[in-house]
Amino acid sequence: MSKATFNPTRFNKSKNTPFNEVMDAHLSRRNFVKRGLGLSAMTAFGGFGLSACGSDNDDNSTPETPTTPEAPTQSSAVLGFESIPGSLTDSVAIPAGYSAYVLAPWGTPLNSKAAAWKDDGSNTAEDQANSVGMHHDGMHFFPLNDAGDDGLLCINHEYIDQSALHPTGPTYDTDGKRSVIDEIRKEINAHGVSVVRIKLESGMWEVVENDSYNRRFTGATVMDMGGPLAYSSYLETRYSPDGSQARGTLNNCGNGYTPWGTYLTCEENWPGYFVNKGTLTDEQTRIGISTSDTRYGWDHLAGDDDERLDEFARFDVTPSGSSAANDYRNEANGHGYIVEIDPYSPNSRAVKRTALGRFRHEGCVFGKLEEGKPITFYSGHDSRFEYLYKFVSDAVWDAADANSTNRLTVGDKYMNAGTLYVAKFSEDGVGEWLPLTLDGVTTDGSTLASSFDSQAAIILNTAGAADLVGATPMDRPEWAAVDPFTGTVYLTLTNNSQRTDSTNPANPRLNNNFGHIIRWDEGDAATEFSWDIFVFGSPDDGDADTNLSGLTDLNQFASPDGLAFDARGILWVQTDNGASEVTEETNDQMLAIVPSTMVDADGNQQVVSADNQTQLKRFFVGPNGCEVTGFAITPDYTTIFANIQHPSNWPYSDKADEATPAGVTVRPRAATVMIRKDDGGAVGV
Ligand code: FEO
Ligand code: CA
Ligand code: CA
């Protein structure tokens, strides 16, 4: 979630050892050398052993068989820009030799059903349903040709700013209830995902209006359910009595994509959109369904004469009918998932992949692929003291599936059946993935079968099941990213100011205001991993116990959030910071680093420290008030796309680095920013 909408409630009431305590113990003896690299390198490159044998083959009696070139274990990328200073303006900041332009801001029409965006907030719900949504977040670029000048941008819209969305904010009646139907519909339509056809014309990406690929998924779009909960009684509603469908996707924060060309959008802070005014179920209590009101009051016009198909009533999940088929007690059960979208098939429905768990999903990333091996997806639960999960497919990867045109059928194959695990971090730099299955062992020596009667029941209350097996509570897991060279997985832990439970008083991160990035390598068994901490956020003038990574004014950051590797092995780190020690120095930003090249003489991966911190470079700073989130890059690396969410007084013009003049106020618009080199070359190097 954005810091602007973060729910500070601690929903996890379990007594599992917080990650803080584990980290404290680890920190006290860490040596900044990563364990398990050799293991990772071997497992990351399936052909490694074979190709080495082939090239060393001295048996001349048989013809040499062509071998696959050995995959490199290090990136060759070298960051080719100077780290830029912090910035506190109504403008973006970029390195010399680069340009940044605004693309597809909130309200950009996608087709002729939408009127042009109006700067007085008066566009209708129908306009919004046919225009780019609000508060851009996760994003991915899907090419349409090999020339790198045509493609589809999928963009998440996490939440809304009601005051910017409407002329003068939301309208209430004298009872404090929402009173204008079109306003609520507009809000629902400003959520979800946009699929936008873009083309590169004269060095500028432009939205292609009325393109047949353009489409919107909103908070009301009908979606199919896949995996253990599909067709279960848990999803039975008056709208979908057979439990096969759910309506809408909400609070789409981080994203992912699949090896077969589909987009994954992640439902994060959705529980607050629903209210149960009666007695919460255990599962609803654990995840945090509201008890007083819905987030934006979308249920207030339930029963209105103009309501269509219970479009507002469904947000009130209080049991009211004689059975689940007569009310919406199960409506929220259709939310909290990874949702798969095939952007290349404009008539396809989105599918909610329930097998990957139900919680406040931040992002979703797949592990390094190996032919003939299962696919792993990682996803964090962004709330204080929540957990990190992975899903391992039953089906093994067949590279031919990358070229299938039945992409959602391929999704069925890899994402509907498999094993969901939750992470337990141990003090000595190793960890264990604990299966969330009926035979998963609980901390009291029993199994999850004692508490759940089906896998669907486990999925419905994923976090509750994770409590029982003894998962490690973390400092708000946000995005994960996988190094394409080493297979190492990186995860942002954005912050946790409630960290008071450390038993190590010497540990400087007791109150984790600045966050950190952890990483791990999978072990030989699906249940093993090894981990260390890659970098700690900090102000540059933090004391030695705070600035553990030796950050300077040129790379100080806090609250890492968005995270992505590009195929060159460059790791892009985005921030959503609220810590004043850093916000007084710079707005939110995007930094870059090439982790796989940071190795010692023995090839061990290093973490960021005072000795090497110049490797971490600030590439981009957003305008005042914003969060920088969402990363996409064209296959030729000549354009990076990054999103600006909730700016306060931006954009002033199409030129993203043109500051809004002093004294001028604009209606703020979240937008994608396209960043290109002036010479048209590859960005970042
Ligand atoms: Fe939507 Fe956890 O950031
Ligand atoms: Ca985020
Ligand atoms: Ca965040």
Side-chain angles (χ1 to χ4, degrees):
M1 70 198 72
S2 162
K3 65 177 182 292
T5 55
F6 172 61
N7 185 332
T9 309
R10 177 176 180 159
F11 296 108
N12 184 358
K13 308 285 198 247
S14 73
K15 299 286 191 274
N16 294 343
T17 306
F19 178 65
N20 314 326
E21 291 179 20
V22 175
M23 190 175 73
D24 292 340
H26 181 63
L27 272 173
S28 65
R29 66 179 106 155
R30 75 174 184 273
N31 57 9
F32 286 119
V33 174
K34 188 165 178 58
R35 296 171 46 138
L37 173 63
L39 180 73
S40 166
M42 290 301 289
T43 54
F45 299 100
F48 183 88
L50 280 175
S51 79
C53 283
S55 57
D56 290 346
N57 188 350
D58 56 7
D59 178 4
N60 294 323
S61 64
T62 53
E64 186 115 356
T65 340
T67 54
T68 311
E70 192 175 307
T73 55
Q74 277 182 30
S75 166
S76 59
V78 177
L79 299 181
F81 61 92
E82 297 298 318
S83 192
I84 65 172
S87 174
L88 294 165
T89 67
D90 288 317
S91 164
V92 309
I94 44 177
Y98 284 81
S99 294
Y101 290 90
V102 174
L103 178 72
W106 157 55
T108 301
L110 295 176
N111 61 54
S112 55
K113 292 182 194 163
W117 181 78
K118 300 169 185 166
D119 66 6
D120 63 358
S122 65
N123 285 93
T124 65
E126 177 72 2
D127 291 341
Q128 184 60 77
N130 295 283
S131 301
V132 172
M134 206 173 207
H135 280 19
H136 301 34
D137 207 317
M139 172 170 57
H140 194 71
F141 178 84
F142 294 88
L144 281 166
N145 65 15
D146 293 329
D149 62 1
D150 192 2
L152 304 173
L153 205 54
C154 290
I155 306 170
N156 284 353
H157 304 292
E158 186 183 19
Y159 67 106
I160 54 171
D161 173 356
Q162 290 172 298
S163 61
L165 189 65
H166 308 300
T168 54
T171 308
Y172 294 92
D173 65 17
T174 51
D175 294 328
K177 299 291 184 189
R178 300 295 302 276
S179 55
V180 179
I181 275 189
D182 202 68
E183 280 182 7
I184 296 180
R185 288 184 182 142
K186 185 177 181 183
E187 293 176 13
I188 293 170
N189 292 343
H191 280 71
V193 176
S194 297
V195 181
V196 186
R197 177 80 176 268
I198 56 172
K199 284 188 177 177
L200 186 66
E201 310 273 2
S202 307
M204 292 278 287
W205 288 94
E206 292 172 0
V207 172
V208 184
E209 199 173 334
N210 285 315
D211 190 87
S212 60
Y213 285 106
N214 290 348
R215 67 187 301 200
R216 283 297 320 282
F217 297 85
T218 74
T221 306
V222 176
M223 301 185 174
D224 290 335
M225 304 301 298
L229 269 91
Y231 294 96
S232 79
S233 60
Y234 292 118
L235 296 181
E236 181 180 1
T237 65
R238 186 152 74 191
Y239 179 82
S240 181
D242 65 357
S244 63
Q245 293 187 317
R247 280 186 283 179
T249 187
L250 296 169
N251 213 263
N252 305 82
C253 189
N255 76 292
Y257 60 95
T258 68
W260 51 94
T262 59
Y263 184 68
L264 301 177
T265 186
C266 308
E267 300 179 334
E268 190 198 18
N269 199 23
W270 52 271
Y273 290 75
F274 300 94
V275 65
N276 183 348
K277 295 169 183 165
T279 305
L280 294 184
T281 64
D282 290 346
E283 168 276 317
Q284 289 174 331
T285 300
R286 180 63 182 82
I287 201 66
I289 297 289
S290 296
T291 54
S292 54
D293 201 353
T294 54
R295 181 168 192 169
Y296 300 113
W298 290 351
D299 61 316
H300 291 183
L301 286 172
D304 188 277
D305 287 347
D306 291 328
E307 185 185 25
R308 306 169 193 149
L309 294 173
D310 305 321
E311 63 186 315
F312 310 127
R314 68 191 179 98
F315 294 104
D316 184 340
V317 300
T318 315
S320 60
S322 56
S323 71
N326 292 304
D327 62 22
Y328 288 92
R329 69 187 67 178
N330 290 331
E331 181 72 5
N333 296 354
H335 295 262
Y337 302 107
I338 302 298
V339 185
E340 186 178 18
I341 287 170
D342 180 359
Y344 293 113
S345 303
N347 297 317
S348 60
R349 272 200 297 268
V351 184
K352 298 201 177 197
R353 298 297 181 190
T354 66
L356 279 70
R358 176 172 178 261
F359 46 92
R360 297 170 193 248
H361 284 280
E362 174 76 19
C364 187
V365 64
F366 62 88
K368 195 166 175 65
L369 288 178
E370 280 186 82
E371 181 91 11
K373 296 283 179 64
I375 303 179
T376 301
F377 289 91
Y378 300 94
S379 188
H381 182 166
D382 181 10
S383 229
R384 286 176 182 146
F385 307 106
E386 291 294 353
Y387 307 129
L388 166 69
Y389 298 84
K390 77 167 183 179
F391 171 82
V392 180
S393 66
D394 282 350
V396 297
W397 175 235
D398 173 357
D401 286 330
N403 301 315
S404 172
T405 53
N406 297 316
R407 296 174 197 86
L408 294 173
T409 305
V410 177
D412 291 341
K413 173 181 173 183
Y414 293 109
M415 300 185 83
N416 280 355
T419 304
L420 184 65
Y421 297 87
V422 67
K424 178 180 179 181
F425 291 76
S426 300
E427 295 180 11
D428 53 358
V430 298
E432 188 180 355
W433 292 107
L434 308 170
L436 297 177
T437 51
L438 287 170
D439 56 1
V441 178
T442 54
T443 52
D444 64 2
S446 180
T447 65
L448 289 176
S450 300
S451 303
F452 299 94
D453 61 8
S454 65
Q455 187 63 25
I458 290 175
I459 294 287
L460 185 72
N461 189 5
T462 301
D467 293 341
L468 294 175
V469 300
T472 302
M474 309 287 277
D475 284 352
R476 298 187 53 200
E478 299 253 23
W479 297 50
V482 175
D483 189 312
F485 291 90
T486 62
T488 303
V489 193
Y490 291 70
L491 173 76
T492 47
L493 295 162
T494 197
N495 58 57
N496 185 350
S497 60
Q498 298 307 301
R499 175 185 177 177
T500 57
D501 42 6
S502 171
T503 54
N504 182 348
N507 190 285
R509 313 294 290 199
L510 197 64
N511 179 356
N512 190 3
N513 278 325
F514 308 117
H516 53 285
I517 299 177
I518 195 171
R519 64 180 175 183
W520 65 90
D521 291 303
E522 294 289 336
D524 286 336
T527 53
E528 298 172 350
F529 66 93
S530 60
W531 64 275
D532 69 356
I533 293 171
F534 180 58
V535 63
F536 293 90
S538 174
D540 65 333
D541 58 358
D543 61 26
D545 291 336
T546 302
N547 192 2
L548 292 162
S549 299
L551 304 185
T552 70
D553 62 334
L554 288 175
N555 59 14
Q556 61 183 317
F557 73 91
S559 300
D561 191 338
L563 194 69
F565 271 99
D566 70 32
R568 301 169 298 180
I570 300 175
L571 179 65
W572 301 89
V573 182
Q574 301 169 322
T575 66
D576 175 20
N577 172 37
S580 61
E581 296 91 333
V582 176
T583 58
E584 65 194 18
E585 301 293 330
T586 185
N587 291 339
D588 276 318
Q589 59 185 307
M590 180 161 69
L591 305 122
I593 191 167
V594 191
S596 63
T597 61
M598 296 166 56
V599 291
D600 67 11
D602 298 324
N604 293 312
Q605 292 192 58
Q606 302 296 291
V607 302
V608 178
S609 70
D611 295 337
N612 62 16
Q613 57 75 35
T614 55
Q615 301 285 317
L616 179 64
K617 296 187 175 188
R618 183 181 293 131
F619 177 74
F620 176 88
V621 183
N624 293 334
C626 86
E627 142 184 9
V628 178
T629 183
F631 177 88
I633 189 165
T634 53
D636 62 3
Y637 309 117
T638 58
T639 305
I640 279 176
F641 304 97
N643 283 325
I644 297 300
Q645 189 192 86
H646 61 79
S648 55
N649 195 21
W650 178 93
Y652 180 67
S653 75
D654 287 347
K655 213 169 169 325
D657 57 346
E658 180 174 7
T660 308
V664 173
T665 300
V666 301
R667 186 171 292 266
R669 299 173 84 181
T672 301
V673 173
M674 64 174 119
I675 307 163
R676 290 171 56 82
K677 254 185 184 168
D678 295 336
D679 66 7
V683 171
V685 295

